Amino acid sequence: MKHHLFWPLTVLALLLLFNLLYDPSFFSIKIRDGHLYGTLIDILNFGAPLMLVAIGMTLVIATKGIDLSVGSIVAITGAMACLTISKGADQNALGLVLTAVGLSLALSLALGLWNGFLVAGVGIQPIIATLILMVAGRGIAQLITSGQIITVTSDRYEYIGAGALFTLPFSIFIVAAVFAAASLLTRKTAIGMFIEAVGNKPVASRLAGIRSRSVVIAVYLFCGLCAGIAGLILSSNVSSADGNNAGLWYELDAILAVVIGGTSLNGGRFYLAGTVIGALIIQTLTTTIYMTGVPPEITLVVKAFVVLVVCLIQSESFRKTLTHRWKTRRYPAEKELTRHA
Amino acid sequence: MLKRQHMPIVVTVALFILIFIAGSFRYTGFFSAQVLLNLLIDNAFLLIVAIGMTFVIVSGGIDLSVGSVIALTTMISATLLQDGWPAGVVIPLVLFIGAVFGAGMGAIIHYFKIQPFIVTLAGMFLARGLCYVISTNTITITDPFYTSVAQTKVSLPGGTFISISVLIALLVFAAAFYLAHYTRFGRNTYALGGSEQSAVLMGLPVARTKVGVYMFSGFCSALGGVVFTFYMLSGYGLHAIGMELDAIAAVVIGGTLLTGGFGYVAGTLFGVLIQGVIQTIISFEGTLSSWWTRIVIGLLLFLFIVLQKLFSSRQLLQKRRA
């Protein structure tokens, strides 16, 4: 039995190794104006929103759910924050930026609560329940921005996504904080076990005395919040909000990151560290494709194959098909047995 | 006497009529046969795609790849036509590609027991990515066959007209109606959606049906793509983004249960028409912006899903009492 991080780490290492051979300057990190610059730092910086969304998604998937609305939530919170700031007299005022951030995060929590309510309260399948917000969310985001791209000029707001702390991008610290909070909450308290129990068998865990409804709602709340923070980082990084394109296909990338990280879509098990590595793999892959000069559009095809291969490896019947032939060649009688079993 | 199982579809039809009447009272020139026919003209491709999706959802699955397959179809058609291939070869070829694509996904879903959601998601990435591999630009179509089909108007009595695309869509609708309710394949699909385990135990051809359903959906997406090509007269990798959501919404609003096993092709027709009429009202209103369409469709989706929930839980209660 290998460690659950073995495969994700191997893939990441292979990707980095390829980059090292292709272009050694990939690993060079320079210090300019007291900030670190380099491709590796870029990967961390640009991958930050994806890592956040994927962390939230991991917990949702652990309860056997899925949240398709994260991309829309990213767009909505970015739009909300930029709208609030653009309405202010002094866009750089600390109070205004804090209000904007607070408002957007509250909104993302409300959206998460809505998803949780639909799944746990009304009892709709997660795919469908979150599909509603996925469809309507883009409309809401465009409603907030009135279909325009809102641009803000606020250094304080820009700090969230493009600022630097201790020479590193500030967004990395946000990810680290969220990751630490999620890991501590799920691994040092019983919450993680509750989540896995609900993902394994909702009914059994309810009979065992776990309030599965509250657990599910909490998980969607957390996922909404993560998507909200990601939306803030994304919009502040470019100092603008685009209701139509911000966070487009984020839900898919996040799900992909979670699956690559070793968390099964069937719920009941989750690996937060694996998810973060999964997100890094996706971001590194994207950067690699850009660096090697392959048309960036190929990324989608590569991602398609990665999803498929990872899922096939996880699929029990696929592994059986692979091992079956070679087993039956050795024991002909077994074939006879399985036929009657 | 109205049968209980027809309730969802009756609600859908009533809602459509209600919205249409409301629109007719509010806007002059809304109440005309041509406005009604325009709903079909503008949504012919959506109808075709949604019909394929109906089968998938009835069988208990979901197909997220339809929008991308449309884009891929427009792209392949445009490139081949540009290279001088005749339309008579291109159209069967793209339909074949769509069907094979769908069948491939169906086979992976069935034989390797991976969730349809994730397999079709990969299919979505793959098809969209292949579009970009072909070209990242818009390719316009100047083929005489395509332009003539796009411009042909089939006159109907009363000075109204429809396009050839509508004829194709209605043909698909009729075929799908027959397929769903009068063939073994249709009954197997319903049985599969009701309970896969029971279907296996009954000795129904589960593998063939499941692969067939996704193949049909792939075929419908490709055909929708051909019709979409007539409509846009161009191939582009960004065509039909989010179409899968529209198709799923149409199917759900049409009264098909997302858990599978229950639903009507006819309901999907009205689901598509409701989406169309909402768009028309928003364009008649003028002051409302296009994004309201998405919000309203999201709301309708919510309403119908809750309705379904109430409906099925009441059914369960009655069964338990009986």
Side-chain angles (χ1 to χ4, degrees):
Chain A
M1 193 56 201
K2 287 190 189 92
H3 193 258
H4 64 86
L5 287 181
F6 176 78
W7 280 112
L9 277 176
T10 314
V11 173
L12 187 60
L14 282 177
L15 265 176
L16 292 176
L17 184 71
F18 170 80
N19 276 307
L20 179 68
L21 296 178
Y22 187 81
D23 182 9
S25 72
F26 187 84
F27 285 90
S28 76
I29 292 175
K30 290 190 201 86
I31 297 185
R32 213 182 303 153
D33 311 332
H35 300 333
L36 289 176
Y37 283 94
T39 319
L40 287 181
I41 306 289
D42 280 349
I43 290 177
L44 284 175
N45 194 12
F46 294 135
L50 180 59
M51 284 190 258
L52 279 172
V53 173
I55 288 173
M57 185 74 84
T58 311
L59 296 190
V60 169
I61 289 181
T63 64
K64 213 174 191 169
I66 204 145
D67 190 348
L68 295 180
S69 68
V70 286
S72 295
I73 297 181
V74 164
I76 292 175
T77 47
M80 193 66 206
C82 286
L83 181 78
T84 319
I85 291 176
S86 69
K87 283 273 157 65
D90 176 19
Q91 296 202 356
N92 214 2
L94 183 65
L96 182 69
V97 173
L98 285 181
T99 321
V101 170
L103 256 180
S104 333
L105 291 186
L107 191 60
S108 69
L109 278 174
L111 294 172
L113 185 66
W114 163 259
N115 280 335
F117 164 73
L118 287 186
V119 174
V122 187
I124 304 171
Q125 288 164 279
I127 290 191
I128 309 311
T130 53
L131 182 74
I132 297 171
L133 192 56
M134 185 186 181
V135 175
R138 294 249 158 236
I140 297 173
Q142 278 175 297
L143 184 71
I144 295 174
T145 63
S146 324
Q148 314 264 307
I149 295 178
I150 300 181
T151 327
V152 292
T153 41
S154 165
D155 292 337
R156 286 225 163 83
Y157 184 60
E158 213 176 294
Y159 185 76
I160 302 173
L165 183 71
F166 305 129
T167 73
L168 282 171
F170 182 61
S171 54
I172 296 178
F173 292 94
I174 302 180
V175 176
V178 171
F179 176 71
S183 314
L184 283 179
L185 273 176
T186 52
R187 293 307 183 203
K188 295 294 167 196
T189 71
I191 296 176
M193 207 173 62
F194 288 172
I195 291 175
E196 292 188 335
V198 170
N200 264 327
K201 269 264 183 286
V203 181
S205 53
R206 194 169 52 77
L207 293 178
I210 297 172
R211 293 190 187 170
S212 40
R213 211 170 265 192
S214 318
V215 171
V216 171
I217 291 180
V219 160
Y220 282 93
L221 261 179
F222 179 70
C223 189
L225 182 66
C226 284
I229 302 174
L232 288 180
I233 295 180
L234 259 182
S235 72
S236 93
N237 197 4
V238 291
S239 285
S240 65
D242 179 355
N244 214 9
N245 293 318
L248 197 63
W249 290 352
Y250 248 65
E251 51 281 338
L252 307 182
D253 277 350
I255 295 169
L256 184 55
V258 173
V259 172
I260 292 177
T263 303
S264 158
L265 281 171
N266 294 322
R269 277 272 178 288
F270 66 93
Y271 305 106
L272 284 171
T275 297
V276 171
I277 294 170
L280 283 176
I281 290 177
I282 293 176
Q283 191 59 44
T284 314
L285 189 69
T286 315
T287 312
T288 310
I289 288 172
Y290 274 109
M291 299 258 301
T292 46
V294 178
E297 294 77 17
I298 307 282
T299 324
L300 279 176
V301 180
V302 177
K303 274 184 196 166
F305 281 107
V306 173
V307 185
L308 210 57
V309 168
V310 170
C311 286
L312 282 178
I313 293 172
Q314 282 188 359
S315 148
E316 206 171 310
S317 32
F318 179 72
R319 276 176 299 178
K320 257 189 204 152
T321 326
L322 276 188
T323 49
H324 188 71
R325 276 188 61 137
W326 131 275
K327 261 188 189 163
T328 46
R329 201 171 42 183
R330 276 159 60 189
Y331 309 108
E334 197 180 76
K335 196 177 185 179
E336 204 57 25
L337 259 175
T338 44
R339 188 188 294 164
H340 297 289
Chain B
M1 185 58 199
L2 199 67
K3 274 194 198 161
R4 165 153 216 108
Q5 71 223 46
H6 291 142
M7 266 310 282
I9 195 170
V10 169
V11 171
T12 311
V13 176
L15 185 71
F16 170 69
I17 296 174
L18 213 71
I19 298 177
F20 195 77
I21 291 177
S24 311
F25 274 115
R26 198 173 151 94
Y27 313 106
T28 45
F30 191 91
F31 186 75
S32 74
Q34 192 55 51
V35 170
L36 200 59
L37 291 176
N38 280 345
L39 293 181
L40 282 175
I41 294 177
D42 293 333
N43 292 296
F45 48 89
L46 181 60
L47 177 59
I48 298 175
V49 172
I51 285 170
M53 184 72 86
T54 312
F55 276 79
V56 174
I57 292 183
V58 163
S59 82
I62 201 150
D63 188 351
L64 295 178
S65 71
V66 291
S68 312
V69 173
I70 291 181
L72 185 61
T73 310
T74 66
M75 210 64 201
I76 294 178
S77 315
T79 333
L80 291 183
L81 289 170
Q82 206 179 29
D83 290 348
W85 289 45
V89 179
V90 171
I91 293 177
L93 181 70
V94 289
L95 293 182
F96 177 74
I97 292 175
V100 169
F101 194 80
M105 290 192 300
I108 294 176
I109 291 167
H110 179 74
Y111 290 109
F112 300 133
K113 299 198 170 43
I114 308 178
Q115 287 170 340
F117 166 76
I118 200 86
V119 175
T120 53
L121 187 70
M124 170 185 179
F125 276 149
L126 183 64
R128 195 66 80 181
L130 286 178
C131 291
Y132 294 129
V133 172
I134 296 175
S135 170
T136 49
N137 301 321
T138 318
I139 304 175
T140 43
I141 292 173
T142 48
D143 184 82
F145 177 75
Y146 273 77
T147 44
S148 72
V149 169
Q151 284 156 1
T152 308
K153 287 174 180 172
V154 182
S155 299
L156 292 181
T160 56
F161 66 89
I162 52 174
S163 62
I164 298 215
S165 305
V166 176
L167 290 181
I168 301 177
L170 290 178
L171 213 65
V172 173
F173 175 72
F177 193 83
Y178 176 78
L179 201 61
H181 300 298
Y182 297 100
T183 62
R184 280 187 197 167
F185 174 74
R187 274 197 295 275
N188 290 346
T189 308
Y190 279 92
L192 186 60
S195 163
E196 186 170 345
Q197 191 125 34
S198 312
V200 172
L201 292 176
M202 278 165 73
L204 296 179
V206 169
R208 206 193 320 148
T209 312
K210 214 182 223 176
V211 175
V213 161
Y214 285 95
M215 192 168 96
F216 183 67
S217 175
F219 174 81
C220 281
S221 311
L223 189 61
V226 171
V227 169
F228 195 75
T229 321
F230 292 147
Y231 193 73
M232 304 295 275
L233 281 182
S234 67
Y236 187 32
L238 285 174
H239 271 330
I241 275 193
M243 179 73 82
E244 47 281 336
L245 297 182
D246 289 342
I248 295 172
V251 174
V252 174
I253 294 173
T256 301
L257 274 191
L258 278 158
T259 38
F262 183 90
Y264 297 104
V265 177
T268 301
L269 171 67
F270 283 94
V272 171
L273 287 177
I274 285 180
Q275 288 198 13
V277 83
I278 290 172
Q279 270 163 9
T280 314
I281 283 185
I282 283 170
S283 67
F284 262 77
E285 183 69 40
T287 55
L288 284 177
S289 316
S290 59
W291 50 83
W292 278 103
T293 320
R294 304 233 89 176
I295 299 179
V296 173
I297 289 174
L299 272 177
L300 274 182
L301 203 56
F302 170 66
L303 276 178
F304 271 81
I305 290 169
V306 171
L307 255 180
Q308 281 188 359
K309 195 78 204 166
L310 289 175
F311 181 70
S312 56
S313 61
R314 200 181 299 161
Q315 249 183 350
L316 276 180
L317 275 181
Q318 281 189 343
K319 254 185 218 161
R320 229 174 266 167
R321 259 182 228 144

